[in-house]
Amino acid sequence: GAGINYLSSNLLFIVGYPYDQWFTACFGFEVILVYIGDHGREVLAHKPRDHYLWRQPQPRQQNGWISSIAAAIPSLGVSDGGSGKKKNGEANQLTFNDIAPFLVTSRASLRDVSKRLPEGVDIDIRRFRPNIVVDDDPNSSNGEEKLAAWEEDYWGELSVSRGGTSEEHRLALTANCGRCVSINVDLEKGRPSEGESGIVLKKLMADRRVDEGNKYAPVFGRYAFLAPSKEGDDGDGDDVVEIAVGDEIRVTKRLSYRDEWAWPKY
C-alpha cells in the first residue's frame, strides 16, 4: 500500500540508542528511531506527470461525499540539502513509501469485504493500510446519492475541501492497488488470522482481479499523488497541506475504464 513497505538501509540514518530507549519506554515495545534525510528515489510506476492533471487543465464536475480522512500531504519534489528548494529534474520522487504517497479506499468497499465473512465478523480497515478513507456524509439526507462499493476503481481525480473555508486540494489517482497475503494478517497478533478472516485474499480473488496488468492480484484501493494546486502550477511547491477527518471529498474526474498496471520498461 502507501505505507512503509520496505526500508533500504542506504536511505536511513540511525539516530541512536538513547533515543530508541526513550521511545521504547513510551510505546511499550522496541522502537528504533531513524531519520530519512533528503534521500529519495524516482517514482517507478504510474508517475504523476503521466496523469492528465499535469498535461492539461480539465473542467471538473461537482458530485461527491464527505470523507472520513486524516493525512498530511507532502509535495512531490525533494528538498535540496535542507534549503527548501527543489533540485532540477528531481520532481516525482518518493521517500518513505513504495508506489505513491497516498492510498485511497472507501468504507463502502470495506463493507462489501465484510459481507463475505461470517455474520458478526468485520474486517479492520487498517489491514489494507490506507491513509485516506472515504465515506458517505453521516449528516446527508436519505435522498442523496450514496457511495457504492468499488466505484473508486474509476476515480481519476478527487478534490478535498474544508467546510467554511475556500481551501481546496486535488488528488490525482494514478493506479489500482493490487493486494497480497498481508491483508490476511491479524494486526494484534502479527500472524495470519484464524478462520475465514485469515483467507480474505482468497475471497477477493473470486471477483476483484479486475486489473488486466496485474491479473493475479485482487484490487482494493487506488494510489494517489497531490496534484498541482492551480493552473500553471507544476506541483513541485514547498507547501505542505493538511487534510483531516470530516473534510469534504468530491469526485471531480471519473474514468470510463479501469487503469491497467504497468511497470516501466528499461
Side-chain angles (χ1 to χ4, degrees):
I4 303 170
N5 286 352
Y6 65 88
L7 296 178
S8 177
S9 59
N10 64 341
L11 295 180
L12 299 176
F13 299 98
I14 306 299
V15 177
Y17 178 80
Y19 306 97
D20 297 346
Q21 288 296 99
W22 188 87
F23 280 101
T24 295
C26 290
F27 284 99
F29 52 84
E30 186 176 0
V31 175
I32 298 175
L33 182 63
V34 297
Y35 169 59
I36 203 163
D38 297 316
H39 298 287
R41 66 162 175 80
E42 182 183 0
V43 177
L44 297 179
H46 300 278
K47 300 179 182 181
R49 296 210 186 284
D50 295 333
H51 191 277
Y52 84 98
L53 278 175
W54 275 265
R55 296 197 303 266
Q56 58 184 354
Q58 293 282 337
R60 294 178 288 166
Q61 54 195 36
Q62 296 296 318
N63 38 4
W65 300 267
I66 297 295
S67 65
S68 174
I69 57 180
I73 306 184
S75 66
L76 288 173
V78 292
S79 60
D80 184 11
S83 68
K85 297 181 179 179
K86 306 300 175 185
K87 298 178 182 179
N88 291 334
E90 289 196 19
N92 290 192
Q93 293 239 339
L94 292 171
T95 306
F96 215 41
N97 32 59
D98 189 3
I99 305 299
F102 309 108
L103 179 59
V104 179
T105 63
S106 80
R107 289 284 180 187
S109 296
L110 181 69
R111 288 189 285 269
D112 185 272
V113 176
S114 293
K115 289 178 182 178
R116 302 160 193 251
L117 300 173
E119 185 175 357
V121 178
D122 292 320
I123 229 34
D124 190 331
I125 189 63
R126 294 178 299 166
R127 287 204 191 190
F128 298 96
R129 305 184 307 283
N131 42 22
I132 299 177
V133 182
V134 181
D135 201 0
D136 295 305
D137 176 7
N139 299 315
S140 64
S141 64
N142 293 331
E144 289 191 20
E145 181 184 0
K146 296 294 184 181
L147 185 62
W150 313 118
E151 69 173 87
E152 65 270 23
D153 289 2
Y154 298 97
W155 291 349
E157 176 197 344
L158 300 175
S159 82
V160 185
S161 58
R162 186 156 300 169
T165 73
S166 59
E167 186 178 4
E168 182 180 31
H169 311 293
R170 295 188 296 174
L171 296 176
L173 281 68
T174 61
N176 302 312
C177 180
R179 296 301 180 162
C180 65
V181 293
S182 64
I183 64 175
N184 292 337
V185 173
D186 184 322
L187 300 178
E188 300 297 330
K189 298 179 180 179
R191 58 176 181 263
S193 297
E194 298 177 357
E196 293 195 43
S197 61
I199 55 172
V200 176
L201 183 69
K202 181 178 179 180
K203 291 178 177 294
L204 291 179
M205 286 285 191
D207 61 343
R208 288 300 300 163
R209 290 186 290 178
V210 296
D211 189 327
E212 290 297 322
N214 193 13
K215 61 178 66 176
Y216 300 110
V219 168
F220 188 110
R222 298 269 285 153
Y223 290 115
F225 293 82
L226 179 65
S229 59
K230 58 183 179 298
E231 185 177 344
D233 183 6
D234 63 5
D236 294 330
D238 294 321
D239 292 339
V240 175
V241 301
E242 293 184 356
I243 59 178
V245 172
D247 285 357
E248 184 176 359
I249 287 278
R250 295 187 183 276
V251 182
T252 46
K253 176 68 175 180
R254 297 181 189 273
L255 307 177
S256 59
Y257 58 89
R258 286 189 178 97
D259 285 323
E260 186 171 325
W261 180 265
W263 285 105
K265 297 179 180 179
Y266 296 103

